Amino acid sequence: MTKDELISKHKQYIFKCVTTYYKDPLVIDHAKNQYIWDLDGRQYLDFLGGIVTISVGHSNDKVTAKIKAQIDRLQHCSTLFITEALVALAEKLAQIAPGKLEKCYFTNSGTEANEVAVLTARMATGNYEILGLRHGYSGHSQLAKSLTGMHTWRKGGVIPYGITSAPGPYCYRCPYTLTYPSCDLHCAKDVENVIQTSTSGQVAGMLCETIQGLGGVVVPPPGYFKIVANIVRNYGGLFIADEVQTGFGRTGKKWFGIEHWEVEPDFLTCAKGLANGVPVGATITRPEIADAYKGLMISTFGGNPVTCAAAKATIDLIEEERLLDNAEEMGTRFRHGLEVLRERYPVVGDVRGMGLMQGMELVKDRTTKEPATDLANQILERTRANGLIVGKGGLFGNVVRMSPPLNVGKADVDQALAALDQSFAEVTA
Ligand SMILES: Cc1ncc(COP(=O)(O)O)c(C=O)c1O
């Protein structure tokens, strides 16, 4: 099929809500390592990675070899049977997860991983109510949408019963108009007021992304999670760290985002980068919590041997190639370059992120902070024209998001920065 045919049939046969980037949608033909190619053979440097999913490069040779070997050995059997691929991955996850988190339930997506965590927290605590955060994103099921803190992702059919959102730790647009550190972490302490005033006073838990990705790469201030996790536990709840975007080295130096804040969560939920692009979801918790799950549960494709082989191969490669260190080193280099762009272009109001998860919030005016949504769209168009793929997010769609594979090198980082520089120069000329 030609590109035009594909675009037109996509429009004809796919739900309209499945939006695509760019005025002229990008039809991808193939990808390898840090590059993707469109149908016309144009090459792009991928600084989005699907959406924060390609951990070790597209179609990584080592991961692909393990996937192929597993397909030839056993492709499917469901969780009714035991396989080496499933057990080996679960054991590996128990080794790298913080503290005593050592029991896993596998599903197919981040949405399901969050569903499992919430349901298990309810069963383990005997409480029902769950807290989320404004500007958070938790997935596309009705429960996950209810936990999501942006109206754009909450249209129709949410089931908000038993769900309460707390104001988020969004320092650039502080909901209390305070400034860190003189704010004394008011946003964290206020979670107690939220529980006291908007719940029955007994909660099942709180689910937080350790960095809000779709919300615009919102990084909480130091100390935030320690206070929040304590408060939630004091009111009978469990602390669920959504590591769907931040897991597996994305934030540099550590396996999981929450480890930067020295908090041991009660649950980790994972997906995306865990299997380098093969559909996966995992909920990891302590044995006594996992075993409190009552009744039967099955996931036809959860724990699929091919998925597990891909995930184990991805983790092994991150370890072998010391990619936690590389993500930190390249993240620091990239961040430095983004700060230079902030100095150069007044439309860049804020630069934030950790490791190789970085964002730039674009504003029309640095004083009013009016979101520059159109400009973010123009940046996406220009970066594409300049051979670079980046993403966008934020409640107002004005945050440029970047999350390249963890094994990018200095040349890739510098190329991305040059393409961004050129794109900003073009749209602000
Ligand atoms: C933080 C977070 N949690 C959950 C999800 C849902 O994951 P999935 O799209 O795999 O269902 C996403 C997806 O973007 C996410 O970013």
Side-chain angles (χ1 to χ4, degrees):
M1 278 190 257
T2 65
K3 178 184 150 191
D4 287 346
E5 280 170 337
L6 287 166
I7 293 172
S8 135
K9 286 184 194 244
H10 184 279
K11 205 170 174 179
Q12 188 177 355
Y13 296 118
I14 303 289
F15 272 35
K16 196 176 165 194
C17 62
V18 181
T19 53
T20 51
Y21 278 164
Y22 311 119
K23 281 185 199 133
D24 175 25
L26 179 59
V27 182
I28 296 181
D29 182 65
H30 64 283
K32 187 73 189 163
N33 300 330
Q34 69 272 51
Y35 301 114
I36 58 182
W37 285 264
D38 67 16
L39 272 193
D40 301 322
R42 242 196 118 211
Q43 179 181 310
Y44 304 86
L45 178 62
D46 185 5
F47 260 51
L48 182 58
I51 315 180
V52 204
T53 299
I54 300 299
S55 298
V56 292
H58 290 276
S59 300
N60 179 288
D61 284 342
K62 287 185 180 164
V63 176
T64 305
K66 296 268 173 62
I67 292 173
K68 285 179 178 162
Q70 184 60 52
I71 286 182
D72 287 339
R73 185 175 169 193
L74 175 73
Q75 192 196 342
H76 171 74
C77 64
S78 91
T79 44
L80 293 173
F81 306 93
I82 295 175
T83 66
E84 184 179 345
L86 174 101
V87 173
L89 175 61
E91 184 180 32
K92 188 77 207 173
L93 287 170
Q95 282 163 10
I96 64 171
K100 300 191 186 74
L101 304 190
E102 57 184 41
K103 279 208 173 183
C104 264
Y105 189 85
F106 292 114
T107 48
N108 310 297
S109 66
T111 301
E112 290 171 82
N114 284 339
E115 289 267 351
V116 171
V118 167
L119 193 54
T120 310
R122 285 176 170 163
M123 291 190 190
T125 61
N127 300 331
Y128 188 78
E129 289 163 276
I130 296 280
L131 299 176
L133 280 178
R134 293 186 192 164
H135 297 270
Y137 179 82
S138 301
H140 57 90
S141 66
Q142 291 187 72
L143 170 73
K145 273 172 175 263
S146 312
L147 273 164
T148 292
M150 291 179 282
H151 72 94
T152 38
W153 301 99
R154 284 175 64 95
K155 307 290 181 209
V158 295
I159 313 171
Y161 175 73
I163 308 272
T164 303
S165 284
Y170 191 171
C171 293
Y172 185 66
R173 297 183 187 277
C174 176
Y176 309 93
T177 57
L178 298 171
T179 308
Y180 179 84
S182 60
C183 63
D184 203 22
L185 291 168
H186 182 71
C187 58
K189 293 174 184 167
D190 201 33
V191 169
E192 180 155 26
N193 293 327
V194 173
I195 293 176
Q196 287 174 344
T197 59
S198 307
T199 76
S200 65
Q202 284 291 304
V203 297
M206 180 162 185
L207 186 147
C208 306
E209 290 163 81
T210 54
I211 295 177
Q212 294 180 320
L214 263 112
V217 195
V218 175
V219 185
Y224 175 81
F225 284 122
K226 235 176 203 167
I227 296 173
V228 165
N230 274 339
I231 293 172
V232 171
R233 286 169 181 151
N234 286 342
Y235 287 85
L238 298 170
F239 181 70
I240 304 166
D242 178 334
E243 297 276 359
V244 168
Q245 294 208 12
T246 44
F248 305 98
R250 173 60 50 199
T251 57
K253 203 168 165 185
K254 310 274 187 189
W255 282 105
F256 297 97
I258 195 66
E259 294 176 277
H260 293 281
W261 289 285
E262 293 159 4
V263 171
E264 197 180 310
D266 301 302
F267 288 93
L268 286 183
T269 60
C270 317
K272 289 192 185 284
L274 165 58
N276 202 41
V278 174
V280 65
T283 307
I284 314 172
T285 186
R286 292 197 300 278
E288 71 276 15
I289 299 173
D291 295 345
Y293 194 101
K294 299 172 192 73
L296 299 173
M297 178 145 90
I298 192 167
S299 170
T300 303
F301 295 121
N304 173 280
V306 178
T307 302
C308 290
K312 173 77 167 39
T314 303
I315 297 173
D316 287 346
L317 202 63
I318 292 173
E319 232 166 21
E320 279 159 32
E321 299 191 355
R322 302 180 58 85
L323 296 183
L324 304 188
D325 293 339
N326 192 62
E328 193 198 15
E329 203 185 314
M330 291 305 118
T332 305
R333 186 181 183 92
F334 190 40
R335 176 58 172 270
H336 174 74
L338 295 177
E339 300 284 359
V340 171
L341 296 182
R342 181 177 185 273
E343 293 305 310
R344 196 168 293 159
Y345 301 102
V347 291
V348 181
D350 196 23
V351 175
R352 50 184 185 251
M354 290 177 92
L356 284 172
M357 179 172 182
Q358 297 287 335
M360 305 168 100
E361 177 150 1
L362 308 189
V363 290
K364 292 186 181 166
D365 179 300
R366 282 195 180 171
T367 312
T368 64
K369 298 184 182 175
E370 188 184 340
T373 306
D374 288 348
L375 201 88
N377 289 330
Q378 288 172 43
I379 288 292
L380 246 68
E381 297 289 348
R382 291 317 306 160
T383 44
R384 174 197 181 170
N386 292 320
L388 178 72
I389 303 300
V390 296
K392 65 173 177 154
L395 179 60
F396 309 105
N398 65 323
V399 180
V400 179
R401 297 167 59 204
M402 290 141 300
S403 48
L406 306 182
N407 51 0
V408 286
K410 287 179 186 167
D412 303 313
V413 167
D414 295 349
Q415 185 184 334
L417 288 167
L420 281 164
D421 192 6
Q422 189 180 341
S423 305
F424 274 104
E426 287 164 358
V427 302
T428 57

